[in-house]
Amino acid sequence: MNEIISKEGFVFLDGAMGTSLRTAVPDHSGIPDILSVTHPGVVTEIHRKYAEAGSDIIYTNTFGASEEKLEGTGTTLERLIAAAVENARKAAGENTAVALDVGPTGKMMPPMGEMTFDEAYEIFRKKMIFGEKAGADLIVIETMSDLGEARTALLAAKENTALPVFVTMTFGENGRSFAGCSPENFAVLMTAMGADAIGVNCSFGPDQLYPVILEMSRKTDLPLIVKANAGLPSSDGSYSIGPADFAEKMKRFSEVGIKYLGGCCGTTPEYIRCLKEAYTGIHLRERDFERKCYIVSQRKCVDADKISIVGERLNPTGKKKLAAALAEEDMDYLVSVAKEEESAGADILDVNVGIPGADEASLMRKVVSAVSSVTDLPLQIDSKSPSAIEAGLRAFPGRAIINSVDGTDETLDGILPLAKKYGAALIGLTIDENGIPASALDRVKIAKKIMERAVSAGIPKNDIFIDCLTLAVSAEPEGAVQTLEAVRLVRDELGLKTTLGVSNISFGLPEREVIASSFLTLALNNGLTLPIINPSARRMKDAVFSFRALTGLDRSCMDYVEYMKSAQPGQIQNTESAETRLTDLKKAIVNGDEALSRRISGVLLDNDPSADLINGLIIPALDEVGSKFESGEYFLPQLMRSASAASAAVEVLKARMKNSKTDSESKGKIILATVRGDIHDIGKNIVKMVLANYGYEIIDLGKDVPKEAVAESALENDVRLVGLSALMTTTLDSMEETIAYLRSLGYSGYVMVGGAVLTEEYAKKIGADFYAKDAKESADIAKTVFGG
């Protein structure tokens, strides 16, 4: 079937499965995937209609299938996937390929949740192995909102199957995913990691998805995928865009070289038929693409072809306090250093955990996980140990740099495959079995060997950086000259980018920053791309921003002007001023600094046990975070980090109240529940954390909650506000039934609803009092209901 998947011209996908199932089996209230076993004829008929409408690839009815979700159904995951693939295969015929459909787990990875990489990986691994065994032709990972989860799924597919893998993400009105990932970051990472095609599905109609695909197209040469919704759902269950209009709007994607086209929510076989007809006579467009080196996290993309600052402080060499923190696994201290480097203006953070006696791989995993949960910056994994490097790469939800390989065959053999597997960029040190060559020419020879070996291993030349090695000028008088010449030769003769640990040059000398900043300027002029420096060192940063301005890299000197306006040490200063500490607590919460929030709260209460932290500081801080979230300045991870910081302050307050035998007064009781048939509780849990920090008493009924349980709890506890959540279109009826049941029993309180499949219009139609599109709005609704 590979000839169908990769055929010339356009490849047409299917449309929505859930929309058709809801029509075909209206009384079903469980997960739709189980219908592959209980109603195989219905599922097969839906597949057949899509194949007859012109779909070249049809997706199995396995989007949400997992062992956890199948508990209590009497069906194993292997049996369900085998049935789903068989249903699709019966309908496919010889000219249609069958894709194993893999959706998100329904849980969240750090910092938004507690599902570990290993847990997520195992869920995906089992599903994909069963899919390949059952005969699927490819794997489609779709509707992803978290870059970390998407890369985990892609790794599971590539490490455990030989099938082609497509990956698509879903994005919001602000052009970002639920977790704050941009289309460009998604495209960069998935391309580097070897996905076969990438794109977007769900989200919105074609018009809103065009800018998303346009942005992706500039960061990848992979084939692109679009499966758009049929617009937005209306109160009667229909969608705003009909088949002909949908097809006409989808024609625009041919301008950006789209290859795979289909439909998502609200689309039917008729939509695919019209889509295929609309593309008659249109030819697949070749895209112009210039490969560049981008290093990405979930929310930040660094163009490493330009001069970027790598923070050096998360390296224990010569730093006793950091080494002690690593030995004690003091993550609070380590993440505070990371936050300081980010605030000071670092673009990338180097992470080195090499201390004597440590299990480096285990420690690297823990530190990378902790650091990446509090900073938006991409990371540089710094180690000589392949196992430690791989541990760091698996833990980092983005595209990292490996620091480093050298010119020895042993190191190249051990680390180059890791760079290829994880799509990482690579630093090569100009050192080999004979040590560091004294001359620039000999260092360049080693650099050339590293480049040739890396390129032959499948690593693009543009992703290779060479470290020509900085030696202390006090000990090696000719060292600086040779290093600078090596940097120039690597740039001019090999066409590679370079990096240097700049501060090494001044070791053993007084006023080290003076000589280091001068050396940095010379190195930049010779082609240095990634200076590894202390971003809080003013003279070093002055050199970088001045060089950018003087060489035309900073056009109109705007970056220089902005830097000079804000050039301050990037850390919260401790002070004995009560007023400043109050401001610092609010700032700590807004910045999501859990450790600092906990510490300052204790100091405040030590000085004034009656201080009103909740109303005076915590709630104003959460309001500011909510405003930033609403405006698009913050995304879900920042919201969750701030909520955790607020929770830390609240816990300190609660502990003091318990010791003093006083109780805090609840602002009111709120029930939260995911409705019957829906086991996704991500959104509910986020709302729970935010509302609890505002001082409300939360009665969390969990997920897959029957209407009777919701009503019983609401009436028994005299609850004024009930919050209901649903992620799947197939469970919207359960939400409506729950609200109706509450009213039928005389419940006189208020009901707010939320979930990705809901709109304000639909919320009104099913009888809800409020529609909350996110956690911020749920807090606003609670204020309306309870006052304040």
Side-chain angles (χ1 to χ4, degrees), residues 128-267:
M128 291 161 174
I129 288 175
F130 292 151
E132 183 176 41
K133 180 180 177 182
D137 301 307
L138 71 155
I139 294 170
V140 173
I141 300 163
E142 66 165 342
T143 324
M144 290 287 160
S145 60
D146 176 10
L147 188 62
E149 187 174 12
R151 72 181 287 276
T152 303
L154 179 57
L155 273 173
K158 294 185 71 66
E159 290 181 348
N160 295 283
T161 79
L163 299 178
V165 188
F166 292 3
V167 190
T168 58
M169 190 169 251
T170 182
F171 297 89
E173 292 177 289
N174 58 3
R176 297 283 187 125
S177 75
F178 186 56
C181 179
S182 70
E184 67 174 1
N185 290 21
F186 168 72
V188 166
L189 181 58
M190 294 297 105
T191 302
M193 289 184 62
D196 294 283
I198 63 171
V200 59
N201 78 290
C202 203
S203 310
F204 298 102
D207 290 345
Q208 292 88 347
L209 295 189
Y210 183 81
V212 172
I213 279 293
L214 184 62
E215 187 176 340
M216 276 191 204
S217 71
R218 295 167 178 157
K219 294 293 190 295
T220 184
D221 56 354
L222 291 178
L224 294 172
I225 307 165
V226 174
K227 288 193 86 179
N229 289 350
L232 295 172
S234 59
S235 58
D236 63 1
S238 64
Y239 279 74
S240 58
I241 302 175
D245 193 20
F246 176 85
E248 188 63 28
K249 290 176 180 293
M250 288 286 288
K251 286 169 66 175
R252 187 182 181 193
F253 288 100
S254 64
E255 300 169 5
V256 293
I258 204 78
K259 182 175 179 67
Y260 298 96
L261 304 103
C264 204
C265 297
T267 60

Side-chain angles (χ1 to χ4, degrees), residues 743-784:
R743 302 299 187 205
S744 72
L745 295 180
Y747 175 68
S748 58
Y750 299 89
V751 178
M752 67 175 174
V753 296
V757 294
L758 283 166
T759 63
E760 187 165 5
E761 181 187 12
Y762 197 89
K764 290 179 180 177
K765 183 219 175 214
I766 62 176
D769 299 294
F770 301 100
Y771 164 66
K773 70 176 183 180
D774 53 42
K776 166 66 167 58
E777 284 202 358
S778 71
D780 293 340
I781 291 166
K783 290 178 185 178
T784 299

